[in-house]
Amino acid sequence: MPLARRKDDFMDNKVIYLDNNATTAVAPEVKEAMDPFLCELYGNPSSIHAFGGQVAKYVDIARQQVAELLGCHPTEVLFTSCGTESDNAAIRSALPVNPHLKTIVTTRVEHPAVRNLCHTLERPGPIGFDNRVIELPVDSLGELSLPDIGNALDEDVAVVSIMWANNETGVIFPIENIADMCRDRGILFHTDAVQAVGKIPIDLSNTAIDMLSLSGHKLHAPKGIGALFVRHGCRFQPFVVGGHQERNRRAGTESVPLIVALGKACELARQNLDRENTAVRALRDKLEKALLASCPDAKLNGHPEHRLPNTSNISFEYIEGESILLMMDEYGICASSGSACTTGSLEPSHVLRAMGIPYTAAHGSIRFSLSVYNTEAEIDKVIEVLPPIIQRLREISPFGREQKQAAT
Ligand code: PLP
């Protein structure tokens, strides 16, 4: 299809967007809330004059809205630029609290925001920080073993950082239990909850979590805004150093429009939590059931129940996920594949590899991630369009099922 035509389609919203774990549309209410802070209420919240001061009030309201979604006190929330910054700030702050402790415990399935940071911290000096990193394995359903975690929590552990929900499979970890295990041993616990916030209920007042990261663009706020929860009493060293903003915990003039947007998005997310777990889940289940039934050699990746209600990761064996994506793209259907084209070779995702998914299945994996904006008509369209695409690709695949059977 010619590019110009496709551009029009995007503008007309003819896209079926099932890639909400990558990023989300800004909610109209969020756009409306942030608009006045671009051209009219543009004062600096740190200014002495009333024009700036009135803006500070809205930053406070946004902080309150984030805190209400998380079940924490507003002064425990600091605004950052994204989930990645929140993860960096949390882990880098935890390490010097007890400088003689050198171990970071994490998992093999973290997002690169945590994983690559840990790899950097693990390198020997002077380019690294000489930390020891323990990456806990997951089983074939993407789940962690609590006894494994217990065994890893030795006397050298400075911080444990484990994601609340996995971005690729949606698998939810028992974060409250893990946080309890850490608190019992006096170890700081951070969770990357970028995919969990707004999709499942979270009440930090009832947990032992010390720090939690979230990101605006995963819950219908714009890109470029995140937040970090730091529990009262948890020692915190700023990652971005400079001015006195955010009570000396994150320097830099506050991006008021984005902060207001995140606050509004959190308020909406709180109102929509039930819909995530009923309507969104029902659409996801309908899509998944239909595809697994109509496509031979299709398998679900990740635990069928302990999962985010919006995420379905399915392997269509013996074909390339990227080919599926390209053919779906012709119908305006957006999703993600479990392999990324890096340096010319198609490497299957580290998450699926950690789960022991065979290469032939990992390469053909597609992640569908829905939002409250998806409709039943969109899901019906995907159910109609995708099985013939899979069939066509299987017919031309050099790794076809028949060849595989002949070879074994
Ligand atoms: N952590 C997880 C689990 C994610 O899914 C993502 C983004 O995909 C991030 C962290 C990074 O968030 P951001 O894009 O806001 O830096």
Side-chain angles (χ1 to χ4, degrees):
M1 199 179 286
L3 192 59
R5 163 109 179 75
R6 293 303 314 280
K7 245 189 185 162
D8 288 347
D9 284 352
F10 296 146
M11 301 311 283
D12 291 347
N13 283 334
K14 284 188 193 143
V15 158
I16 298 179
Y17 190 75
L18 302 180
D19 203 11
N20 287 278
N21 287 8
T23 195
T24 59
V26 174
E29 298 91 331
V30 168
K31 183 172 179 299
E32 195 186 334
M34 72 182 282
D35 257 0
F37 297 90
L38 293 170
C39 297
E40 295 147 45
L41 297 169
Y42 54 83
N44 185 328
S46 301
S47 296
I48 297 291
H49 45 70
F51 184 63
Q54 64 174 343
V55 168
K57 213 169 53 199
Y58 291 94
V59 173
D60 288 345
I61 293 171
R63 205 183 302 282
Q64 175 79 37
Q65 288 164 319
V66 177
E68 277 169 12
L69 180 63
L70 299 180
C72 67
H73 194 274
T75 54
E76 293 176 312
V77 173
L78 59 118
F79 293 110
T80 64
S81 65
C82 59
T84 302
E85 184 193 322
S86 299
D87 288 339
N88 268 264
I91 296 171
R92 287 176 186 271
S93 162
L95 290 172
V97 170
N98 294 300
H100 59 288
L101 304 181
K102 299 300 271 179
T103 301
I104 306 167
V105 174
T106 182
T107 77
R108 288 194 192 156
V109 296
E110 297 298 310
H111 186 273
V114 168
R115 199 160 173 255
N116 289 344
L117 169 63
C118 289
H119 291 167
T120 301
L121 295 170
E122 191 177 32
R123 282 190 214 135
I127 50 159
F129 296 82
D130 283 318
N131 287 107
R132 178 172 73 125
V133 175
I134 298 176
E135 288 189 340
L136 298 164
V138 294
D139 65 17
S140 60
L141 295 177
E143 295 207 288
L144 285 169
S145 131
L146 286 178
D148 274 3
I149 299 171
N151 292 338
L153 300 182
D154 64 28
E155 285 174 357
D156 189 50
V157 178
V159 59
V160 174
S161 178
I162 295 183
M163 66 199 327
W164 201 314
N166 188 272
N167 45 302
E168 294 191 27
T169 59
V171 169
I172 297 172
F173 289 145
I175 286 303
E176 286 105 330
N177 297 341
I178 302 170
D180 285 340
M181 291 166 77
C182 291
R183 180 171 285 180
D184 289 347
R185 294 162 173 81
I187 297 170
L188 281 173
F189 180 71
H190 163 253
T191 182
D192 174 341
V194 163
Q195 293 293 345
V197 172
K199 294 178 190 148
I200 55 173
I202 288 177
D203 181 4
L204 290 173
S205 68
N206 279 326
T207 75
I209 295 167
D210 295 301
M211 289 180 278
L212 172 147
S213 305
L214 66 91
S215 171
H217 74 102
K218 309 290 184 182
L219 65 152
H220 304 291
K223 295 150 190 70
I225 182 73
L228 178 65
F229 156 82
V230 182
R231 185 174 295 286
H232 283 157
C234 172
R235 270 168 63 194
F236 183 75
Q237 312 247 11
F239 174 51
V240 179
V241 178
H244 297 299
Q245 293 88 355
E246 296 294 282
R247 296 152 67 95
N248 292 314
R249 292 174 301 174
R250 202 275 187 179
T253 303
E254 297 90 340
S255 174
V256 180
L258 295 179
I259 288 173
V260 169
L262 178 61
K264 187 68 188 176
C266 287
E267 184 189 292
L268 289 176
R270 207 153 74 93
Q271 290 162 7
N272 281 333
L273 260 184
D274 280 350
R275 273 173 71 198
E276 284 281 348
N277 286 285
T278 52
V280 176
R281 183 188 293 276
L283 288 183
R284 189 273 313 263
D285 289 349
K286 178 175 182 178
L287 174 70
E288 186 173 287
K289 215 168 141 205
L291 294 180
L292 292 175
S294 58
C295 302
D297 294 315
K299 289 196 187 84
L300 179 69
N301 294 319
H303 196 282
E305 271 108 49
H306 303 158
R307 227 179 355 147
L308 294 173
N310 79 321
T311 307
S312 181
N313 188 313
I314 299 179
S315 277
F316 301 95
E317 280 202 274
Y318 317 125
I319 45 181
E320 289 294 345
E322 304 229 328
S323 316
I324 306 172
L325 288 186
L326 287 175
M327 290 185 77
M328 287 201 299
D329 200 37
E330 290 188 15
Y331 296 88
I333 302 168
C334 307
S336 284
S337 81
S339 55
C341 195
T342 47
T343 57
S345 71
L346 279 172
E347 267 301 305
S349 95
H350 70 281
V351 175
L352 299 184
R353 269 180 318 178
M355 291 161 65
I357 308 280
Y359 267 53
T360 47
H363 273 298
S365 78
I366 298 288
R367 178 190 69 186
F368 302 96
S369 48
L370 284 64
S371 83
V372 288
Y373 295 110
N374 288 121
T375 63
E376 184 140 22
E378 290 179 330
I379 297 305
D380 289 341
K381 181 78 187 167
V382 181
I383 292 171
E384 177 198 323
V385 159
L386 188 50
I389 290 180
I390 302 295
Q391 196 185 340
R392 237 180 307 151
L393 287 171
R394 285 250 168 80
E395 282 162 11
I396 57 171
S397 166
F399 306 109
R401 192 180 182 206
E402 288 72 19
Q403 284 97 323
K404 169 112 196 305
Q405 279 172 347
T408 50

